[in-house]
Amino acid sequence: MQKINRNVVLALLSLTSLVFLLFQLCYYKFYLSQKNGAAFSKVRGSQSGQDSTRWHVVRKFLGLISSHNIPVYLIDPLILRLVDKDIEQIRSSPDGPSPECKYFCAPRDFTTFALLDKTWKHEVGLFRTAEKMGFQWLKIINKDPRLDGMDDLSGMEIPLHYIFKLASHAIHVVVFYERSGNFLWHGPLRLKQHMDRKFVPFRKLYFGRYPGAYEKPELLLVSMDDLKVQIPKNPSNFLEEMSHSRFLECRYREARAFFQLYPDDASLDAVEFRKKAKSLLHLAALTLNNLGVKFWLSSGTCLGWYRQCNVIPHSKDVDLGIFIRDYKADIIPAFQKAGLPLKHKFGKVEDSLELSFQGEDDVKLDIFFFYEEDDYIWNGGTQAKSGKKFKYLFPKFTLCWTEFVELKVHVPCETLQYVEANYGPEWKVPVKTWDWKSSPSNVQDNGVWPVDEWDDVIQIY
């Protein structure tokens, strides 16, 4: 009898312990988790508490910037790639609780947001609040290139990046500034000598290796993982833009040194030509951008940007390059519709195509089409009276953004190699007498057009 009573007592104790344990689990799930903002016990696929830590750090950061009325938007490429796959669902989803933490719990060291400089007045109070919430923070500043010019090299410094760190996760805030070319720019992340290089793994940051240029994005307010956040309305477009965003500044310091050796032409003719060339370049950019055709500054126009941050006044034309793969039959009619009649068309799509359009007065627009080979890139030239063909060889190059005559345009990233290929090692010395058939360092004879093709490949208007 005593044995049976002992077993009953043990069973009752075990049952009581089990009930108490279940009560504790229910208490945590339905009270504590809700009190902290989300029921992360329902997160499916979580490997560790690290997943929810990321979410909680983002939630705290959004609360921080909201309390100071600072509008930021998400530009984290890892999260935006996930968002892009579900964008229609996200746009149409209600504001109710998410069934799982899918985006902000994704494995990563950082979450990246953008901040438009003009929407925030650098309040000291933000950092005080951040510290009270447990954040450590770092501000990265550098010189403001927008104030540089031929007359002054600015020493004024501006905030470029902020990093807020909490627990094992960090928030990277990239500050974007509006440039005169009506686009957004962010600067590089360069640590000062006294800064802690172990504050976060800086090499893993998506933004900051080099400056970047972007179009002004249209934003969309969405609910993701029970958090309200602004994102680019078209994430895939932003991600594509990000992959080709590298920006090069004009080299004002070198340009000033150039003009000390070779004083600038300030004559009325030079001023008038630069004004017309700027207008022509803006019109050409508008026309090609509307067609979705990528182009870059080439030949003398590229040399002018790289050497003296301006149009070369004795060049008398504007030169652009386009990869032949980007050629569209709509280019000629589009320029004609814009008021630029076709002056000549040499070559053909398969070989040595070039177009020339007549701008205001005697200023013309030359467009050279570039062909890619295995180890070099080239464009062609044609002498109208003889049918002779020429080939201009360049080392392979990629494209970067720059700002030139208040316009966001492409230039070869490897600008020095590009300029040296065309103008040789003495490119810093102005040359006013230039023969396009023999002066370039990279020109080669390329045969002669068959006479029976002249009507097609040599068209002068």
Side-chain angles (χ1 to χ4, degrees), residues 27 43 47 117 133 144-145 150-151 160 177 219 231 233 235 255 322 354 386 444 446:
Y27 177 79
V43 174
Q47 299 300 316
D117 167 69
M133 296 175 66
D144 187 351
M150 295 310 304
D151 299 323
L160 297 179
Y177 292 83
L219 301 178
I231 63 171
K233 188 173 182 180
I322 297 176
E354 63 173 283
S386 67
Q444 293 183 357
N446 196 29

PDB file of all heavy atoms in Angstrom, residues 27 43 47 117 133 144-145 150-151 160 177 219 231 233 235 255 322 354 386 444 446:
ATOM      1  N   TYR A  27       3.293  31.697 -20.887  1.00  0.00           N
ATOM      2  CA  TYR A  27       3.492  33.057 -20.385  1.00  0.00           C
ATOM      3  C   TYR A  27       4.516  33.801 -21.248  1.00  0.00           C
ATOM      4  O   TYR A  27       4.319  34.952 -21.627  1.00  0.00           O
ATOM      5  CB  TYR A  27       3.967  32.986 -18.941  1.00  0.00           C
ATOM      6  CG  TYR A  27       4.288  34.331 -18.320  1.00  0.00           C
ATOM      7  CD1 TYR A  27       3.258  35.156 -17.852  1.00  0.00           C
ATOM      8  CD2 TYR A  27       5.611  34.770 -18.214  1.00  0.00           C
ATOM      9  CE1 TYR A  27       3.558  36.390 -17.291  1.00  0.00           C
ATOM     10  CE2 TYR A  27       5.909  36.000 -17.668  1.00  0.00           C
ATOM     11  CZ  TYR A  27       4.875  36.811 -17.210  1.00  0.00           C
ATOM     12  OH  TYR A  27       5.166  38.019 -16.663  1.00  0.00           O
ATOM     13  N   VAL A  43       8.799  32.407 -35.572  1.00  0.00           N
ATOM     14  CA  VAL A  43       9.703  32.513 -36.704  1.00  0.00           C
ATOM     15  C   VAL A  43      10.117  31.130 -37.140  1.00  0.00           C
ATOM     16  O   VAL A  43      10.709  30.388 -36.378  1.00  0.00           O
ATOM     17  CB  VAL A  43      10.942  33.347 -36.328  1.00  0.00           C
ATOM     18  CG1 VAL A  43      11.940  33.332 -37.469  1.00  0.00           C
ATOM     19  CG2 VAL A  43      10.534  34.770 -35.999  1.00  0.00           C
ATOM     20  N   GLN A  47      17.759  29.762 -36.988  1.00  0.00           N
ATOM     21  CA  GLN A  47      18.797  28.856 -36.504  1.00  0.00           C
ATOM     22  C   GLN A  47      19.248  29.214 -35.099  1.00  0.00           C
ATOM     23  O   GLN A  47      19.744  28.390 -34.372  1.00  0.00           O
ATOM     24  CB  GLN A  47      19.991  28.909 -37.463  1.00  0.00           C
ATOM     25  CG  GLN A  47      19.640  28.477 -38.886  1.00  0.00           C
ATOM     26  CD  GLN A  47      19.132  27.054 -38.947  1.00  0.00           C
ATOM     27  OE1 GLN A  47      19.682  26.165 -38.318  1.00  0.00           O
ATOM     28  NE2 GLN A  47      18.052  26.838 -39.682  1.00  0.00           N
ATOM     29  N   ASP A 117      20.447  64.270 -47.235  1.00  0.00           N
ATOM     30  CA  ASP A 117      21.022  65.296 -46.370  1.00  0.00           C
ATOM     31  C   ASP A 117      20.058  66.450 -46.104  1.00  0.00           C
ATOM     32  O   ASP A 117      19.944  66.927 -44.983  1.00  0.00           O
ATOM     33  CB  ASP A 117      22.306  65.836 -47.011  1.00  0.00           C
ATOM     34  CG  ASP A 117      22.792  67.107 -46.340  1.00  0.00           C
ATOM     35  OD1 ASP A 117      23.238  67.025 -45.192  1.00  0.00           O
ATOM     36  OD2 ASP A 117      22.694  68.174 -46.965  1.00  0.00           O
ATOM     37  N   MET A 133      19.724  54.479 -25.723  1.00  0.00           N
ATOM     38  CA  MET A 133      19.092  53.230 -26.163  1.00  0.00           C
ATOM     39  C   MET A 133      20.090  52.083 -26.264  1.00  0.00           C
ATOM     40  O   MET A 133      19.729  50.967 -26.620  1.00  0.00           O
ATOM     41  CB  MET A 133      18.407  53.447 -27.523  1.00  0.00           C
ATOM     42  CG  MET A 133      17.252  54.435 -27.489  1.00  0.00           C
ATOM     43  SD  MET A 133      16.567  54.781 -29.139  1.00  0.00           S
ATOM     44  CE  MET A 133      15.868  53.192 -29.563  1.00  0.00           C
ATOM     45  N   ASP A 144      33.692  68.228 -48.868  1.00  0.00           N
ATOM     46  CA  ASP A 144      32.527  68.372 -49.736  1.00  0.00           C
ATOM     47  C   ASP A 144      32.989  68.713 -51.150  1.00  0.00           C
ATOM     48  O   ASP A 144      33.413  69.844 -51.415  1.00  0.00           O
ATOM     49  CB  ASP A 144      31.627  69.486 -49.193  1.00  0.00           C
ATOM     50  CG  ASP A 144      30.304  69.584 -49.948  1.00  0.00           C
ATOM     51  OD1 ASP A 144      30.168  68.911 -50.985  1.00  0.00           O
ATOM     52  OD2 ASP A 144      29.421  70.328 -49.493  1.00  0.00           O
ATOM     53  N   PRO A 145      32.920  67.767 -52.092  1.00  0.00           N
ATOM     54  CA  PRO A 145      33.419  68.037 -53.452  1.00  0.00           C
ATOM     55  C   PRO A 145      32.534  69.004 -54.229  1.00  0.00           C
ATOM     56  O   PRO A 145      32.958  69.564 -55.233  1.00  0.00           O
ATOM     57  CB  PRO A 145      33.420  66.643 -54.097  1.00  0.00           C
ATOM     58  CG  PRO A 145      32.330  65.913 -53.384  1.00  0.00           C
ATOM     59  CD  PRO A 145      32.369  66.412 -51.967  1.00  0.00           C
ATOM     60  N   MET A 150      37.394  75.749 -60.013  1.00  0.00           N
ATOM     61  CA  MET A 150      38.671  76.243 -60.513  1.00  0.00           C
ATOM     62  C   MET A 150      39.224  77.350 -59.618  1.00  0.00           C
ATOM     63  O   MET A 150      40.429  77.555 -59.534  1.00  0.00           O
ATOM     64  CB  MET A 150      38.495  76.771 -61.936  1.00  0.00           C
ATOM     65  CG  MET A 150      38.118  75.686 -62.939  1.00  0.00           C
ATOM     66  SD  MET A 150      39.197  74.234 -62.858  1.00  0.00           S
ATOM     67  CE  MET A 150      40.787  74.976 -63.117  1.00  0.00           C
ATOM     68  N   ASP A 151      38.320  78.090 -58.946  1.00  0.00           N
ATOM     69  CA  ASP A 151      38.770  79.218 -58.133  1.00  0.00           C
ATOM     70  C   ASP A 151      39.026  78.847 -56.681  1.00  0.00           C
ATOM     71  O   ASP A 151      39.666  79.592 -55.945  1.00  0.00           O
ATOM     72  CB  ASP A 151      37.724  80.342 -58.187  1.00  0.00           C
ATOM     73  CG  ASP A 151      37.522  80.847 -59.608  1.00  0.00           C
ATOM     74  OD1 ASP A 151      38.521  80.910 -60.351  1.00  0.00           O
ATOM     75  OD2 ASP A 151      36.372  81.155 -59.970  1.00  0.00           O
ATOM     76  N   LEU A 160      29.308  61.855 -44.254  1.00  0.00           N
ATOM     77  CA  LEU A 160      29.091  60.963 -45.397  1.00  0.00           C
ATOM     78  C   LEU A 160      28.458  59.636 -44.985  1.00  0.00           C
ATOM     79  O   LEU A 160      27.667  59.070 -45.735  1.00  0.00           O
ATOM     80  CB  LEU A 160      30.412  60.697 -46.117  1.00  0.00           C
ATOM     81  CG  LEU A 160      31.099  61.913 -46.739  1.00  0.00           C
ATOM     82  CD1 LEU A 160      32.414  61.492 -47.406  1.00  0.00           C
ATOM     83  CD2 LEU A 160      30.202  62.620 -47.735  1.00  0.00           C
ATOM     84  N   TYR A 177      23.614  63.292 -51.117  1.00  0.00           N
ATOM     85  CA  TYR A 177      23.550  64.729 -51.366  1.00  0.00           C
ATOM     86  C   TYR A 177      23.105  64.976 -52.808  1.00  0.00           C
ATOM     87  O   TYR A 177      23.452  64.217 -53.719  1.00  0.00           O
ATOM     88  CB  TYR A 177      24.923  65.377 -51.149  1.00  0.00           C
ATOM     89  CG  TYR A 177      25.373  65.366 -49.706  1.00  0.00           C
ATOM     90  CD1 TYR A 177      25.988  64.240 -49.150  1.00  0.00           C
ATOM     91  CD2 TYR A 177      25.157  66.473 -48.891  1.00  0.00           C
ATOM     92  CE1 TYR A 177      26.396  64.221 -47.825  1.00  0.00           C
ATOM     93  CE2 TYR A 177      25.566  66.459 -47.550  1.00  0.00           C
ATOM     94  CZ  TYR A 177      26.182  65.338 -47.032  1.00  0.00           C
ATOM     95  OH  TYR A 177      26.578  65.314 -45.715  1.00  0.00           O
ATOM     96  N   LEU A 219       9.814  56.465 -53.714  1.00  0.00           N
ATOM     97  CA  LEU A 219       9.790  55.591 -52.545  1.00  0.00           C
ATOM     98  C   LEU A 219       8.402  55.029 -52.287  1.00  0.00           C
ATOM     99  O   LEU A 219       7.389  55.594 -52.692  1.00  0.00           O
ATOM    100  CB  LEU A 219      10.278  56.348 -51.309  1.00  0.00           C
ATOM    101  CG  LEU A 219      11.698  56.910 -51.394  1.00  0.00           C
ATOM    102  CD1 LEU A 219      12.043  57.674 -50.131  1.00  0.00           C
ATOM    103  CD2 LEU A 219      12.722  55.799 -51.642  1.00  0.00           C
ATOM    104  N   ILE A 231      11.043  51.880 -48.989  1.00  0.00           N
ATOM    105  CA  ILE A 231      11.968  51.203 -49.899  1.00  0.00           C
ATOM    106  C   ILE A 231      11.854  51.854 -51.272  1.00  0.00           C
ATOM    107  O   ILE A 231      10.857  52.533 -51.558  1.00  0.00           O
ATOM    108  CB  ILE A 231      11.645  49.690 -50.017  1.00  0.00           C
ATOM    109  CG1 ILE A 231      10.247  49.485 -50.637  1.00  0.00           C
ATOM    110  CG2 ILE A 231      11.756  48.991 -48.664  1.00  0.00           C
ATOM    111  CD1 ILE A 231       9.933  48.039 -50.988  1.00  0.00           C
ATOM    112  N   LYS A 233      10.633  52.184 -54.881  1.00  0.00           N
ATOM    113  CA  LYS A 233       9.409  51.617 -55.443  1.00  0.00           C
ATOM    114  C   LYS A 233       9.709  50.461 -56.380  1.00  0.00           C
ATOM    115  O   LYS A 233       8.946  49.503 -56.478  1.00  0.00           O
ATOM    116  CB  LYS A 233       8.620  52.702 -56.176  1.00  0.00           C
ATOM    117  CG  LYS A 233       7.236  52.271 -56.623  1.00  0.00           C
ATOM    118  CD  LYS A 233       6.451  53.428 -57.198  1.00  0.00           C
ATOM    119  CE  LYS A 233       5.042  52.988 -57.584  1.00  0.00           C
ATOM    120  NZ  LYS A 233       4.257  54.137 -58.145  1.00  0.00           N
ATOM    121  N   PRO A 235      12.630  47.961 -56.600  1.00  0.00           N
ATOM    122  CA  PRO A 235      13.903  47.464 -56.050  1.00  0.00           C
ATOM    123  C   PRO A 235      14.872  46.957 -57.109  1.00  0.00           C
ATOM    124  O   PRO A 235      16.080  47.160 -56.995  1.00  0.00           O
ATOM    125  CB  PRO A 235      13.467  46.336 -55.109  1.00  0.00           C
ATOM    126  CG  PRO A 235      12.045  46.647 -54.757  1.00  0.00           C
ATOM    127  CD  PRO A 235      11.471  47.282 -55.990  1.00  0.00           C
ATOM    128  N   ALA A 255      43.579  70.324 -62.774  1.00  0.00           N
ATOM    129  CA  ALA A 255      43.142  71.304 -63.765  1.00  0.00           C
ATOM    130  C   ALA A 255      43.724  72.688 -63.464  1.00  0.00           C
ATOM    131  O   ALA A 255      44.133  73.419 -64.375  1.00  0.00           O
ATOM    132  CB  ALA A 255      41.616  71.364 -63.803  1.00  0.00           C
ATOM    133  N   ILE A 322      29.494  55.191 -77.924  1.00  0.00           N
ATOM    134  CA  ILE A 322      28.409  54.248 -77.647  1.00  0.00           C
ATOM    135  C   ILE A 322      28.873  52.861 -78.082  1.00  0.00           C
ATOM    136  O   ILE A 322      29.446  52.709 -79.170  1.00  0.00           O
ATOM    137  CB  ILE A 322      27.118  54.609 -78.419  1.00  0.00           C
ATOM    138  CG1 ILE A 322      26.581  55.976 -77.974  1.00  0.00           C
ATOM    139  CG2 ILE A 322      26.043  53.540 -78.227  1.00  0.00           C
ATOM    140  CD1 ILE A 322      25.366  56.444 -78.775  1.00  0.00           C
ATOM    141  N   GLU A 354      29.842  55.576 -87.569  1.00  0.00           N
ATOM    142  CA  GLU A 354      29.929  56.858 -86.876  1.00  0.00           C
ATOM    143  C   GLU A 354      28.878  57.799 -87.447  1.00  0.00           C
ATOM    144  O   GLU A 354      28.538  57.749 -88.630  1.00  0.00           O
ATOM    145  CB  GLU A 354      31.323  57.481 -86.993  1.00  0.00           C
ATOM    146  CG  GLU A 354      31.752  57.825 -88.408  1.00  0.00           C
ATOM    147  CD  GLU A 354      33.078  58.588 -88.453  1.00  0.00           C
ATOM    148  OE1 GLU A 354      33.058  59.797 -88.160  1.00  0.00           O
ATOM    149  OE2 GLU A 354      34.100  57.968 -88.798  1.00  0.00           O
ATOM    150  N   SER A 386      38.274  59.341-100.210  1.00  0.00           N
ATOM    151  CA  SER A 386      39.059  58.198-100.681  1.00  0.00           C
ATOM    152  C   SER A 386      38.462  56.846-100.307  1.00  0.00           C
ATOM    153  O   SER A 386      38.857  55.825-100.863  1.00  0.00           O
ATOM    154  CB  SER A 386      40.481  58.281-100.120  1.00  0.00           C
ATOM    155  OG  SER A 386      40.464  58.104 -98.710  1.00  0.00           O
ATOM    156  N   GLN A 444      45.163  53.120 -86.723  1.00  0.00           N
ATOM    157  CA  GLN A 444      45.727  52.149 -87.653  1.00  0.00           C
ATOM    158  C   GLN A 444      44.957  52.215 -88.964  1.00  0.00           C
ATOM    159  O   GLN A 444      43.755  52.499 -88.980  1.00  0.00           O
ATOM    160  CB  GLN A 444      45.599  50.715 -87.104  1.00  0.00           C
ATOM    161  CG  GLN A 444      46.415  50.411 -85.872  1.00  0.00           C
ATOM    162  CD  GLN A 444      46.275  48.956 -85.446  1.00  0.00           C
ATOM    163  OE1 GLN A 444      45.515  48.191 -86.048  1.00  0.00           O
ATOM    164  NE2 GLN A 444      46.987  48.565 -84.400  1.00  0.00           N
ATOM    165  N   ASN A 446      42.906  50.621 -91.881  1.00  0.00           N
ATOM    166  CA  ASN A 446      41.984  49.486 -91.811  1.00  0.00           C
ATOM    167  C   ASN A 446      41.393  49.152 -93.177  1.00  0.00           C
ATOM    168  O   ASN A 446      40.245  48.719 -93.296  1.00  0.00           O
ATOM    169  CB  ASN A 446      40.861  49.799 -90.806  1.00  0.00           C
ATOM    170  CG  ASN A 446      40.085  48.567 -90.386  1.00  0.00           C
ATOM    171  OD1 ASN A 446      40.624  47.461 -90.371  1.00  0.00           O
ATOM    172  ND2 ASN A 446      38.818  48.745 -90.054  1.00  0.00           N
TER     173      ASN A 446
END
